[in-house]
Amino acid sequence: MGFFNKTKNRVRGIIPNKSSIAHSSGQNILLKMSLEVNLEIITEMLGNSTDIIIRKFRFGERRNIHAAILYTESLTDHTTFQHFVLEPLMLEVRKSDLEKYLSNQQNLFEDLKDIIAVGEVKDLNDLDTLLIGLVSGDAILLIDGYDQALSLGIRKWKERNVSEPTSQTVVRGSQEGFNENFSINTALIRRRIKNPNLRVETKSIGKISKTAVRLMYIEGIVKDKVVEEVRQRLDRIDLDAIMESGTIEELIQDKIYTPFPTVFNTERPDVATAALLEGRVAILVDGTPYVLIVPALFVHFFQSPDDYSHRSDIGTLIRMLRFLTFFIALIAPSLYVAVTTYHQEMIPTPLLISLAAQREGVPFPAFIEAMMMEITFEIIREAGVRMPRAIGPAVSIVGTLVVGTAAVDAGIVSAAMVIVVAITAISSFVFPNYNIGISVRMLRFLLMCLAGSFGLFGITVGLIALVLHLCSLRSFGIPYMTPLAPFISADIKDSIFRFTWWKLTTRPQLLNEENVVRQQQPAMAQPKPPKSKP
């Protein structure tokens, strides 16, 4: 019936349970000596998937060495497979007598490594590793009479080109953004840090998905305790699949019940590079263009590459403006509700008369009015995000104008409330990072409830509780409010302010233990004053 005929009676009882392979239960299932048995087991475990191609052939001087190559149709480079794997095995091998190596398995496989013109060639002897490599895009070479296989790295699939970041844009600076291929993302960082101390560690997370995750850090700059803590938290993850970096972000964060993000994410290679140079760790997840950076501090979410592309005075002004808009977006509606409801004496008389005239026909109190407008704006904003890009901005703008104008004309809300909500919404768009904006949006409603119940006293209590909560947070062992609490005067130069480059001589102290100095002899970079004429 032929050598490659399937005989299920011979392999009955030795095919492992599919769930044991899918969930990587720890069973080390070794390959068999028979090629026929190995192919039967692999085919059975993959459920006879039609995208798994099995190419059977014979090679050697007398064509009596039976072999097979397996690969995944949509994940393998067909050109490389044809010219650098299959062609050498079927043509080049005939020029050399390999039959003398049949009694010595190691010599045969070592000789094949010299013939196959592929950069990455690995030895395999267990079924679990073979299946993971096969469904990842590698080609697998099996030979009859050997309980060993070769994994050939010829992966290739359709991917998005390196393009401009969509959520973290800048006026001046790099226009490159990460994409879904973490090998390309690694190369984008490698190109910016040409240093042998840049370390890359790869892990596989997800019992079923086997998602590749990489750690990147600069040895000698990062604290060893931080790197070890990141490794331990990643190793503790026990899920079926990791589909996005947000899953890992939620699983490794220090505190679950907090509105503030303790893990920074970015789609910009220059931001990730700057973080590595400060002594932080980057986490790259295959299949997502967002790179996680830890530890993440509160001030990091207000920093943008634009701050360093312009002069220090411009960068400082823009950064201080972001902190100002943070407070506006957080407490502006609450202050309006508290002052108009409980503390009218704080309003100048002409303005109070104007506000009273506007609210004369409004049937709702200021708190209900503010909640209605804020919820309406959140609905419009979320609808604009979900709508197609061609009409999303138009729907947001038209919807806001129409709803606001109609609400004022109908006497449901006052014109002053529309102005306050509009200023609050615009302020929330100033933040360079989207996550901190979501935190402000959640806390805004809480402060509005306190303002509607207790006035300025409620806002004060809420802000005190907020500050206490921020000071209690940590990100991988580093206090979240560093360098404000604990106060580190040496690190203030690149937190709320952005000093000139010749003043940025040291890295953040809590992120580094030994290599703190970032710039030697900074006075040489400072322009010298002109000599005075006699």
Side-chain angles (χ1 to χ4, degrees), residues 132-180:
I132 294 174
L134 177 61
V135 297
S136 298
D138 293 336
I140 306 299
L141 174 62
L142 295 170
I143 301 177
D144 186 51
Y146 300 98
D147 57 353
Q148 185 179 354
L150 287 182
S151 174
L152 313 176
I154 53 174
R155 305 179 184 181
K156 185 178 181 181
W157 51 79
K158 297 294 182 181
E159 57 192 23
R160 184 168 60 93
N161 295 329
V162 177
S163 58
E164 182 180 354
T166 57
S167 63
Q168 299 176 356
T169 58
V170 295
V171 177
R172 178 181 177 182
S174 174
Q175 300 300 321
E176 289 182 335
F178 291 123
N179 65 7
E180 287 73 17

Side-chain angles (χ1 to χ4, degrees), residues 187-327:
L188 291 174
I189 297 178
R190 279 281 188 188
R191 194 180 69 178
R192 288 169 168 81
I193 304 180
K194 304 177 182 65
N195 192 293
N197 291 326
L198 179 61
R199 301 288 185 257
V200 179
E201 300 179 8
T202 304
K203 297 178 177 291
S204 179
I205 301 179
K207 294 180 294 186
I208 296 179
S209 66
K210 305 295 182 182
T211 304
V213 178
R214 280 182 177 172
L215 300 182
M216 296 190 70
Y217 57 91
I218 302 178
E219 188 174 2
I221 294 181
V222 68
K223 293 175 66 173
D224 296 335
K225 294 181 180 179
V226 173
V227 178
E228 185 60 30
E229 182 67 23
V230 175
R231 292 196 193 104
Q232 292 179 3
R233 296 191 187 187
L234 290 177
D235 292 338
R236 288 198 297 264
I237 297 177
D238 186 16
L239 288 179
D240 284 344
I242 300 294
M243 305 306 298
E244 219 280 330
S245 60
T247 305
I248 293 182
E249 178 180 349
E250 185 175 354
L251 292 172
I252 66 174
Q253 62 185 354
D254 287 66
K255 201 168 185 178
I256 300 176
Y257 302 106
T258 176
F260 293 97
T262 55
V263 177
F264 190 85
N265 68 81
T266 181
E267 59 174 340
R268 300 187 59 86
D270 52 351
V271 174
T273 300
L276 293 176
L277 293 173
E278 284 186 348
R280 292 191 274 172
V281 180
I283 304 174
L284 289 71
V285 182
D286 193 20
T288 175
Y290 286 91
V291 171
L292 305 180
I293 298 175
V294 295
L297 307 182
F298 180 74
V299 295
H300 291 158
F301 294 92
F302 295 88
Q303 298 175 357
S304 171
D306 275 329
D307 302 344
Y308 306 94
S309 300
H310 300 284
R311 298 197 318 265
S312 59
D313 52 351
I314 299 176
T316 299
L317 177 63
I318 296 176
R319 188 174 293 181
M320 294 178 67
L321 179 64
R322 296 193 194 105
F323 282 97
L324 175 62
T325 56
F326 171 79
F327 290 103

Side-chain angles (χ1 to χ4, degrees), residues 316-352:
T316 299
L317 177 63
I318 296 176
R319 188 174 293 181
M320 294 178 67
L321 179 64
R322 296 193 194 105
F323 282 97
L324 175 62
T325 56
F326 171 79
F327 290 103
I328 293 176
L330 182 64
I331 64 175
S334 306
L335 285 177
Y336 178 83
V337 171
V339 171
T340 56
T341 304
Y342 298 100
H343 311 283
Q344 295 90 347
E345 67 278 1
M346 298 180 60
I347 306 175
T349 303
L351 180 58
L352 181 60

Side-chain angles (χ1 to χ4, degrees), residues 26 34 39 43 70 105-106 124 156 219 231 255 267 270-271 274 294 315 319 323 332 355 398 404 447 488 511 513:
S34 172
L39 291 178
T43 304
L70 300 84
Q105 174 177 339
Q106 187 63 31
L124 301 176
K156 185 178 181 181
E219 188 174 2
R231 292 196 193 104
K255 201 168 185 178
E267 59 174 340
D270 52 351
V271 174
V294 295
R319 188 174 293 181
F323 282 97
L355 293 177
V398 174
L447 290 177
I488 303 176
L511 297 179
E513 293 180 339

Side-chain angles (χ1 to χ4, degrees), residues 491-534:
D491 292 345
I492 294 296
K493 59 182 179 294
D494 193 19
S495 55
I496 300 178
F497 311 99
R498 207 282 275 178
F499 284 17
T500 57
W501 279 109
W502 54 80
K503 296 291 185 181
L504 302 178
T505 57
T506 57
R507 298 183 177 88
Q509 293 186 7
L510 289 183
L511 297 179
N512 300 270
E513 293 180 339
E514 299 178 359
N515 193 354
V516 179
V517 178
R518 135 182 20 220
Q519 179 177 322
Q520 296 290 344
Q521 298 180 350
M524 297 179 61
Q526 186 174 0
K528 297 181 180 180
K531 296 181 179 180
S532 58
K533 296 182 179 179

